[in-house]
Amino acid sequence: MSTKTRDRSPLYVQLRELIRSQIESGQFAPGTSLPSENALAQTYGLNRSAVHSALQALEYEGLLQSIQGKGSFVLGPKLTRDMETLGGFRQTMLDRDQNPSTKVLHKVLRKAGPLYSRLLEIPPTAPVWYVKRICYAGSAALALEEIFIPEDLLPDFDSADISLFSIMDIYHWNAIYPLLGQQTLSIAFLDPSQSKLIGLEGKQAVLEFSGTMRTKEGRIVEFSRSYTRQDKAEFTVHYRDLEEN
């Protein structure tokens, strides 16, 4: 760092704050790579361990992503999803002025089996639509999603283009109006092949977001599970003091 500075904080902290300001000012735009650790060390007269500590701290905060053999890349702002709002991926992204799209990997009929018969409250032999897709915000892969829908609710689902229309739209076109939902958020680990589908390398921790949706009559219309990149999204929950009532 410059010998003219009077900042007495550790050198890696000074570098961390300098890089942060460069990211916030737009000098390093989302998706761009930072100079290598060697280049930063040479530019600011630091040893590589100090540079590594600064970059690691920024990665922990979600401002950078380190890709082995390629360097450190600037991440864009996280997309916020309200866990109390019942809505599909497409509407969630549109509400946040994002450009949503999906790539459908599988859309097939299968038997519910023991697990999904329990989750969907249908017989184990009942057929269900199984959808597996990658969800994008703009050009960035955000999540890997799986959806299970009882076949009797959407018998013509095979002809619906879910890359163009949201599944929520298709529900409404069939006079199905999900009203109630139960959602769970946890941490999961994707294997390397699954991680690669959403732009991650190796075995990675992701946010597992799962739950069911029901109509006001109590019929479960779907069970969904999404594996969302934690560097791309965050979730919020609103609460209030019950004593105010």
Side-chain angles (χ1 to χ4, degrees):
M1 304 298 290
S2 172
T3 56
K4 296 180 180 180
T5 182
R6 295 183 179 179
D7 191 339
R8 295 174 181 266
S9 58
L11 292 178
Y12 87 90
V13 173
Q14 295 181 47
L15 179 60
R16 181 194 68 193
E17 295 308 308
L18 174 61
I19 295 175
R20 186 202 306 280
S21 67
Q22 291 171 335
I23 293 173
E24 292 175 347
S25 68
Q27 183 174 339
F28 292 118
T32 60
S33 61
L34 295 182
S36 67
E37 290 187 5
N38 284 335
L40 289 170
Q42 185 174 1
T43 298
Y44 297 108
L46 302 175
N47 60 50
R48 278 197 61 185
S49 63
V51 173
H52 182 75
S53 294
L55 298 182
Q56 197 171 45
L58 292 170
E59 183 175 2
Y60 180 78
E61 294 178 27
L63 294 177
L64 299 177
Q65 180 182 352
S66 176
I67 300 178
Q68 187 174 4
K70 296 182 179 180
S72 296
F73 292 79
V74 179
L75 298 175
K78 292 185 177 182
L79 299 168
T80 303
R81 178 170 178 177
D82 188 340
M83 291 183 67
E84 295 179 299
T85 301
L86 190 63
F89 169 78
R90 187 180 299 270
Q91 189 58 50
T92 299
M93 295 299 99
L94 291 174
D95 289 345
R96 285 149 182 80
D97 297 320
Q98 299 293 321
N99 180 28
S101 62
T102 59
K103 178 182 179 181
V104 179
L105 304 177
H106 302 290
K107 188 175 78 165
V108 297
L109 270 178
R110 52 158 287 180
K111 290 184 179 180
L115 174 60
Y116 298 105
S117 68
R118 176 175 59 82
L119 293 171
L120 295 169
E121 298 178 356
I122 57 177
T125 56
V128 296
W129 292 109
Y130 169 63
V131 174
K132 183 176 182 178
R133 61 185 183 176
I134 304 171
C135 300
Y136 295 85
S139 60
L142 182 66
L144 181 64
E145 185 175 44
E146 295 180 304
I147 303 171
F148 298 81
I149 305 167
E151 188 265 349
D152 66 301
L153 288 176
L154 297 176
D156 298 322
F157 188 58
D158 58 336
S159 62
D161 190 340
I162 59 174
S163 64
L164 294 177
F165 303 102
S166 73
I167 294 178
M168 189 68 74
D169 287 336
I170 296 169
Y171 287 145
H172 291 172
W173 296 340
N174 286 270
I176 300 168
Y177 302 100
L179 183 64
L180 306 172
Q182 179 178 331
Q183 303 169 340
T184 301
L185 180 62
S186 59
I187 300 296
F189 288 87
L190 292 179
D191 63 41
S193 63
Q194 299 286 70
S195 295
K196 188 176 181 180
L197 293 173
I198 53 175
L200 299 173
E201 292 191 356
K203 187 175 182 180
Q204 292 278 349
V206 293
L207 298 172
E208 180 180 340
F209 187 79
S210 62
T212 56
M213 293 197 300
R214 295 177 183 265
T215 64
K216 67 178 181 180
E217 293 80 20
R219 174 72 191 270
I220 294 180
V221 300
E222 76 170 45
F223 170 79
S224 65
R225 179 194 298 117
S226 68
Y227 301 103
T228 303
R229 290 182 55 158
Q230 55 186 335
D231 60 336
K232 295 286 187 181
E234 60 187 12
F235 299 94
T236 62
V237 177
H238 303 282
Y239 66 91
R240 62 181 178 181
D241 190 342
L242 295 178
E243 294 182 359
E244 293 181 0
N245 296 332

